[in-house]
Amino acid sequence: MEFKIAIGPQFEGERIRKDDLFIEFGGPKVKAKAELATIKKMDEVEHGKIEIIGPDIKDLAEGGSYPLGLIVEVAGTELDPDMEPVFERRIHQYCNYIEGFVHMAQRNDIWLRISKDAVKQGLTSLDEIGKVLIYLYTSELPIIERVAVTFITDAQKVENFLPSALDVYKARDERVRGLTEEAVDEFYGCTLCQSFAPTHVCIVTPERVSLCGAISWFDGRAASKIDPYGPQFVVEKGELLDTEKIVYSGVNEVVAERSMGTNDTFCLHSLFDHPHTSCGCFESIAFYIPEVDGIGILPRDFEGASVIGIPFSTMAGELSGGKQVEGYVGMGVEYLRSPKFLQGDGGLRRVVWMPKKVKERVKDSIPPEIFDKIATEEDVNDVDALAEFLARVEHPVMAGEFS
Ligand code: SF4
Ligand code: ZN
């Protein structure tokens, strides 16, 4: 297969600086963006078909940020619906195989950047990216027999596509609710992000979705079956060493091995001591606010500064790269719904601030007695005001419940 642009795993981890950027799709400046992989019946997928709905790379003004809907339809006689999220996460990996093209984040958070050099080399059409994706899906995952790719760049049409994608994500997230860590023997690991964060390992349990939010325990299971030597693999739980912060011997062994000895302990449900590492594509950040002894939640799409005066991008820079940074942890927003959410630190009762949008999203998982005690950006804008708010509503942190 011949392409106008170079491809290969050596280009993963590449970065495109502002001066080298030709255009970007999605990212913080663009509201309408989403990617979705769907499994279809064999006769519903025309293998190799690439559709571009809206302007193409060459039609777009240099330096701009544009909406994008990216849909990968796959078919194969052996495919099962569990595999959809696994295939969807491969969009990230395969796009990053392309020289001069970078894919970040996932679902409706995607951010894709094309370099000026790539355009010079011939990446002037999304068609080229579609061809690479089709080639990689079928050559790397033989279970996939047919692939078609659609790019939607027409702003209105991306808006129209978004709700259906959100419905799919929601249904996937709901599936795992109710399943506990105690009820399973195996967790799953993922090292897909090691290209950017070489010591990072994600541990996915039924009560801890991956920090990108894209891999649940079911997805880890499906992925490890499709491709046992691939980026997602089985993690034997082993022995429970800490019942508060939840530390398992099997998890520690895998983390030590896959982080090349950099980290040897993971507290699965605490941001103190030895928190889970964070690569760079976390959907949100849980961060400790020492002044009030509470925890704040900051999602990627929050505009402006958090309650401690720091915006997402700055805070993300502090904890990304596969480090264990005490007091911070990157997490999937869905993790807020987990009965084990930061249980070693006091769980949702310790949360003092989160944006209104997140609070609404996980409303039914927040205990009613503390719902109104968690401040949002509409209540307070700095730590002093937060402290006053927490005192006024008699938040559990004020009673010293966690000290
Ligand atoms: Fe895998 Fe974790 Fe990266 Fe998601 S964030 S792709 S689960 S390593
Ligand atoms: Zn990542």
Side-chain angles (χ1 to χ4, degrees):
M1 199 64 191
E2 282 284 314
F3 302 105
K4 288 184 190 152
I5 34 180
I7 62 164
Q10 67 272 29
F11 301 119
E12 279 187 297
E14 190 184 13
R15 284 167 208 276
I16 299 174
R17 290 192 315 270
K18 215 165 136 224
D19 293 344
D20 305 326
L21 178 71
F22 183 68
I23 54 166
E24 63 183 12
F25 290 105
K29 294 182 190 147
V30 176
K31 283 256 169 319
K33 65 221 179 208
E35 66 187 9
L36 193 68
T38 359
I39 295 177
K40 296 266 178 175
K41 295 205 186 79
M42 284 293 266
D43 58 1
E44 289 171 343
V45 179
E46 187 186 321
H47 183 59
K49 186 174 174 192
I50 300 165
E51 213 181 335
I52 301 163
I53 304 170
D56 202 347
I57 300 171
K58 55 183 174 294
D59 314 318
L60 294 165
E62 191 172 331
S65 309
Y66 302 99
L68 179 72
L70 202 177
I71 305 163
V72 176
E73 291 175 310
V74 299
T77 46
E78 306 282 311
L79 300 188
D80 109 34
D82 269 12
M83 298 172 181
E84 269 183 8
V86 181
F87 297 148
E88 192 168 295
R89 200 65 193 123
R90 291 290 176 114
I91 298 175
H92 175 68
Q93 186 180 15
Y94 298 157
C95 283
N96 284 323
Y97 275 15
I98 301 174
E99 185 176 20
F101 185 47
V102 168
H103 178 291
M104 286 171 281
Q106 61 289 315
R107 291 188 171 182
N108 54 319
D109 268 340
I110 49 169
W111 187 0
L112 291 77
R113 309 189 102 198
I114 301 172
S115 76
K116 288 178 187 161
D117 258 351
V119 175
K120 269 188 219 139
Q121 302 293 324
L123 187 57
T124 50
S125 173
L126 290 164
D127 191 67
E128 200 58 28
I129 295 167
K131 277 188 203 149
V132 173
L133 288 176
I134 289 167
Y135 167 73
L136 288 170
Y137 269 100
T138 41
S139 57
E140 302 247 323
L141 297 166
I143 193 167
I144 292 178
E145 294 166 57
R146 293 183 182 181
V147 197
V149 178
T150 305
F151 298 93
I152 311 172
T153 56
D154 177 280
Q156 188 54 51
K157 287 185 175 141
V158 180
E159 296 267 0
N160 299 348
F161 159 68
L162 193 56
S164 60
L166 294 177
D167 282 347
V168 175
Y169 307 146
K170 191 160 168 249
R172 287 181 194 158
D173 292 340
E174 277 168 3
R175 218 179 139 213
V176 78
R177 282 182 213 156
L179 193 63
T180 63
E181 289 178 352
E182 294 77 20
V184 300
D185 293 326
E186 293 174 350
F187 298 154
Y188 298 96
C190 180
T191 50
L192 199 63
C193 287
Q194 286 200 344
S195 48
F196 296 90
T199 54
H200 175 70
V201 187
C202 261
I203 300 292
V204 178
T205 83
E207 291 171 278
R208 193 181 202 294
V209 67
S210 68
L211 52 81
C212 58
I215 306 280
S216 74
W217 183 85
F218 280 108
D219 309 334
R221 187 175 67 171
S224 66
K225 277 190 202 146
I226 302 166
D227 185 2
Y229 301 103
Q232 288 98 11
F233 47 87
V234 172
V235 176
E236 300 288 347
K237 272 188 342 188
E239 199 188 329
L240 182 59
L241 305 175
D242 184 322
T243 54
E244 287 288 307
K245 297 178 174 175
I246 310 295
V247 180
Y248 280 98
S249 63
V251 169
N252 288 352
E253 279 162 31
V254 168
V255 166
E257 185 195 324
R258 303 260 179 172
S259 70
M260 282 81 66
T262 307
N263 305 311
D264 57 11
T265 308
F266 258 21
C267 298
L268 290 177
H269 301 289
S270 171
L271 49 69
F272 300 112
D273 197 6
H274 288 88
H276 193 288
T277 53
S278 307
C279 46
C281 43
F282 31 85
E283 272 189 305
S284 61
I285 301 169
F287 60 101
Y288 178 59
I289 310 174
E291 294 87 340
V292 295
D293 195 29
I295 292 167
I297 306 294
L298 183 59
R300 183 174 289 273
D301 63 359
F302 185 72
E303 281 168 28
S306 64
V307 69
I308 57 168
I310 298 173
F312 182 90
S313 54
T314 311
M315 202 187 291
E318 291 290 312
L319 74 149
S320 60
K323 297 178 292 231
Q324 287 187 310
V325 184
E326 206 170 345
Y328 294 92
V329 75
M331 56 172 237
V333 172
E334 209 47 33
Y335 178 50
L336 282 164
R337 294 183 184 280
S338 165
K340 287 205 176 58
F341 167 77
L342 296 180
Q343 75 156 43
D345 311 331
L348 283 166
R349 287 182 67 77
R350 187 90 174 260
V351 174
V352 292
W353 184 87
M354 66 169 82
K356 189 166 173 236
K357 201 171 145 196
V358 179
K359 206 170 160 185
E360 284 303 315
R361 172 167 161 190
V362 298
K363 192 173 185 168
D364 52 357
S365 301
I366 301 177
E369 70 278 11
I370 62 153
F371 188 83
D372 291 331
K373 298 184 179 185
I374 301 174
T376 72
E377 72 279 20
E378 291 184 351
D379 303 308
V380 297
N381 284 315
D382 58 48
V383 175
D384 289 340
L386 176 66
E388 275 169 35
F389 174 94
L390 298 173
R392 191 169 65 243
V393 299
E394 297 176 4
H395 191 288
V397 294
M398 285 302 172
E401 192 175 312
F402 310 103
S403 49

